[in-house]
């Protein structure tokens, strides 16, 4: 599954994953955003890996937000944007791409 | 309040509010040397670390190219951004750089890229977005001297009345900042649109339907040779902040070669996000 979300005036975030037994697996988060330090990406991806595919957008955003170490600079995207990309991926897998 | 306020004449053409931050250093210039794209991204790290260790003075470095390249941002996925078959057919080298941001399609004479390697203290007290604007403000001024009405568009774009000119990205390493910027000089839009995957979502807030329509390359806007523009940029920097000619040292080249072998030229690095 594949979902994208561009924050208006910001950057694109792309989430690719599979849903196996109703959970997100093989998650890859990518895009043209900025993260300092680099390793924060592992924390974001790790937060999504194994997550229930039935969480609501606000819940996904909260889990991602809590996983990002304090002091991390996230520029151009956000936990909310990542959550939208996840939801879009799941929706498109059910309904077909829009 | 005195009735006789002194009349101030602005004589210094360039002095801006942040100029003192630049002038505190003895800047070095590394002119464009054509190198393999993987060497260029390795040198970004080599020289940034060297500035952080105080083994090198703060440096303005122009990039040169021996081949076409797609330079991916640190967090971009290869398959989402690049048609790898087109890249292979057209002799386009894929490399991943150490900074975030978006993919650039480069042809040797088609872009002007520079890196600023500076101590992190230079941007102390600035937010990250402020530091982006700060590092390119002199370029905006230099472009305006060429008649290009350019400005900085947050977070990391240089744009103009004639369209987007370029973008910047930063990485921080060992007490130093790398700020690099690529500006379009001449676009091969046909090849760019085949090798890069630029989807609708990416352009969703741009009000345009294709990436090429929103770009205003410098050749089109200035009718100047690429080298002339680079000379103008370096001249502006030299007049304003001071800039001494320099060259890459053997130990720096060796360090970059090792980084190419161990990391930047390795599949694990390029396909870190497949």
């Amino acid at each position: 599954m594949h979902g994208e979300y561009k924050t208006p005036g910001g950057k694109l975030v792309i989430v690719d994953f599979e849903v196996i037994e109703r959970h997100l697996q093989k998650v890859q988060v990518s895009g043209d955003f900025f993260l300092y330090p680099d390793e924060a990406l592992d924390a974001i991806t790790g937060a999504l890996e194994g997550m229930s595919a039935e969480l609501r957008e606000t819940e996904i955003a909260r889990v991602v937000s809590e996983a990002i170490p304090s002091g991390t600079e996230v520029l151009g995207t956000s936990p909310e944007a990542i959550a939208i990309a996840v939801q879009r991926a799941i929706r498109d897998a059910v309904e077909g791409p829009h | 309040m005195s009735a006789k306020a002194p009349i101030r004449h602005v004589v210094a053409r360039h002095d801006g509010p942040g100029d003192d931050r630049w002038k505190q250093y003895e800047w070095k210039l590394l002119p464009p040397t054509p190198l393999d794209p993987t060497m260029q991204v390795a040198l970004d790290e080599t020289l940034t670390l060297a500035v952080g260790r105080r083994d090198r003075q703060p440096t303005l470095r122009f990039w040169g190219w021996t081949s076409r390249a797609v330079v991916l941002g640190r967090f971009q996925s290869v398959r989402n951004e690049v048609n790898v078959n087109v890249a292979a057919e057209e002799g386009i080298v894929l490399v991943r750089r150490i900074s975030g941001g978006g993919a650039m399609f480069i042809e040797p004479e088609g872009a002007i890229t520079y890196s600023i390697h500076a101590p992190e203290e230079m941007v102390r007290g600035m937010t990250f977005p402020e530091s982006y604007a700060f590092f390119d403000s002199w370029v905006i001024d230099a472009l305006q001297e060429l008649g290009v009405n350019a400005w900085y568009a947050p977070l990391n774009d240089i744009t103009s009345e004639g369209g987007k000119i370029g973008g910047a990205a930063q990485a921080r390493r060992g007490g130093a900042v790398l700020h690099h910027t690529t500006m379009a000089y001449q676009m091969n839009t046909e090849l760019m649109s085949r090798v890069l995957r630029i989807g609708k979502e990416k352009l969703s807030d741009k009000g345009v339907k294709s990436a090429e329509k929103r770009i205003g390359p410098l050749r089109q806007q200035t009718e100047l040779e690429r080298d002339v523009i680079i000379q103008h940029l370096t001249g502006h920097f030299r007049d304003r902040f001071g800039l001494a000619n320099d060259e890459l040292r053997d130990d720096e080249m060796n360090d970059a070669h090792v980084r190419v072998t161990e990391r930047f030229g390795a599949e694990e690095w390029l396909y870190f996000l497949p």
Side-chain angles (χ1 to χ4, degrees):
Chain A
M1 295 180 188
H2 174 97
E4 305 188 355
Y5 180 70
K6 173 138 186 334
T7 300
K11 298 288 153 189
L12 183 71
V13 66
I14 304 172
V15 185
D16 292 282
F17 56 90
E18 294 175 19
V19 173
I20 299 171
E21 294 175 352
R22 296 182 173 184
H23 288 78
L24 276 58
Q25 306 282 343
K26 302 180 183 173
V27 179
Q28 175 175 283
V29 178
S30 65
D32 61 351
F33 49 80
F34 297 90
L35 283 179
Y36 305 92
D38 296 354
E39 293 73 31
L41 186 69
D42 297 334
I44 293 170
T45 307
L48 296 177
E49 188 73 39
M51 175 185 277
S52 165
E54 281 144 29
L55 289 189
R56 286 187 307 234
E57 210 169 276
T58 51
E59 294 169 322
I60 298 170
R62 183 177 53 77
V63 171
V64 170
S65 178
E66 286 172 358
I68 297 173
S70 66
T72 303
E73 289 274 349
V74 183
L75 299 183
T77 191
S78 63
E80 292 73 23
I82 294 164
I84 294 170
V86 170
Q87 291 278 291
R88 285 185 173 181
I90 292 169
R91 185 199 64 194
D92 288 353
V94 175
E95 302 174 12
H98 288 243
Chain B
M1 282 280 286
S2 162
K4 286 178 138 186
I7 297 165
R8 295 188 63 199
H9 294 278
V10 180
V11 287
R13 180 181 49 153
H14 297 313
D15 262 23
D19 281 22
D20 287 346
R21 291 190 189 238
W22 294 89
K23 290 184 194 168
Q24 65 182 311
Y25 304 113
E26 292 175 24
W27 287 90
K28 301 293 184 190
L29 171 67
L30 295 174
T33 308
L35 291 168
D36 184 272
T38 52
M39 270 299 279
Q40 292 290 355
V41 296
L43 279 167
D44 263 350
E45 189 165 78
T46 293
L47 300 178
T48 303
L49 289 169
V51 168
R53 290 192 310 267
R54 306 293 188 266
D55 282 347
R56 159 171 281 286
Q57 301 281 359
T59 297
L60 170 66
R61 174 171 71 96
F62 284 89
W63 294 32
W65 308 89
T66 52
S67 75
R68 291 168 167 169
V70 168
V71 184
L72 286 168
R74 177 72 173 89
F75 307 111
Q76 290 188 299
S77 116
V78 176
R79 67 165 177 261
N80 284 333
E81 304 299 329
V82 185
N83 287 310
V84 290
N85 292 338
V86 173
E89 286 161 14
E90 300 287 349
I92 300 168
V93 175
L94 302 184
V95 293
R96 183 185 297 280
R97 62 178 187 264
I98 64 170
S99 64
M104 310 179 303
F105 168 58
I106 304 277
E107 290 192 293
E109 298 300 315
I112 297 173
T113 299
Y114 59 84
S115 290
I116 295 167
H117 308 272
E120 207 166 3
E121 65 181 26
M122 188 178 171
V123 290
R124 185 172 293 151
M126 290 186 197
T127 64
F128 277 65
E130 284 167 353
S131 73
Y132 272 83
F134 168 76
F135 276 118
D136 278 338
S137 60
W138 65 278
V139 175
I140 303 287
D141 295 341
L143 289 174
Q144 288 187 342
E145 291 169 345
L146 296 177
V148 180
N149 190 7
W151 63 90
Y152 209 78
L155 171 67
N156 63 325
D157 286 347
I158 296 176
T159 192
S160 72
E161 283 176 348
K164 177 178 166 175
I165 294 171
Q170 286 183 13
R172 302 196 178 205
R173 287 281 188 289
V177 188
L178 164 71
H179 177 100
H180 51 195
T181 301
T182 290
M183 297 186 286
Y185 174 69
Q186 188 173 11
M187 299 291 296
N188 183 342
T189 52
E190 183 275 325
L191 186 50
M192 184 185 80
S193 63
R194 283 198 295 128
V195 72
L196 294 184
R197 298 174 184 269
I198 300 173
K200 281 186 289 186
E201 182 62 18
K202 169 110 186 161
L203 300 171
S204 60
D205 64 343
K206 301 288 187 191
V208 292
K209 289 200 175 72
S210 69
E212 60 214 56
K213 283 196 183 127
R214 64 189 180 103
I215 297 177
L218 286 173
R219 179 172 171 171
Q220 181 185 303
Q221 298 211 53
T222 64
E223 298 179 355
L224 294 172
E225 295 295 321
R226 180 174 171 274
D227 290 348
V228 172
I229 295 174
I230 292 175
Q231 281 166 24
H232 176 76
L233 296 176
T234 40
H236 180 105
F237 191 110
R238 183 179 288 115
D239 292 349
R240 187 166 171 177
F241 309 132
L243 186 63
N245 291 341
D246 195 13
E247 52 191 38
L248 285 165
R249 303 190 309 243
D250 288 346
D251 62 309
E252 292 170 334
M253 286 294 282
N254 291 340
D255 183 275
H257 275 297
V258 170
R259 289 175 195 278
V260 167
T261 306
E262 294 182 349
R263 198 144 60 100
F264 295 106
E267 296 275 294
E268 293 80 8
W269 171 255
L270 176 61
Y271 289 95
F272 148 71
L273 294 171

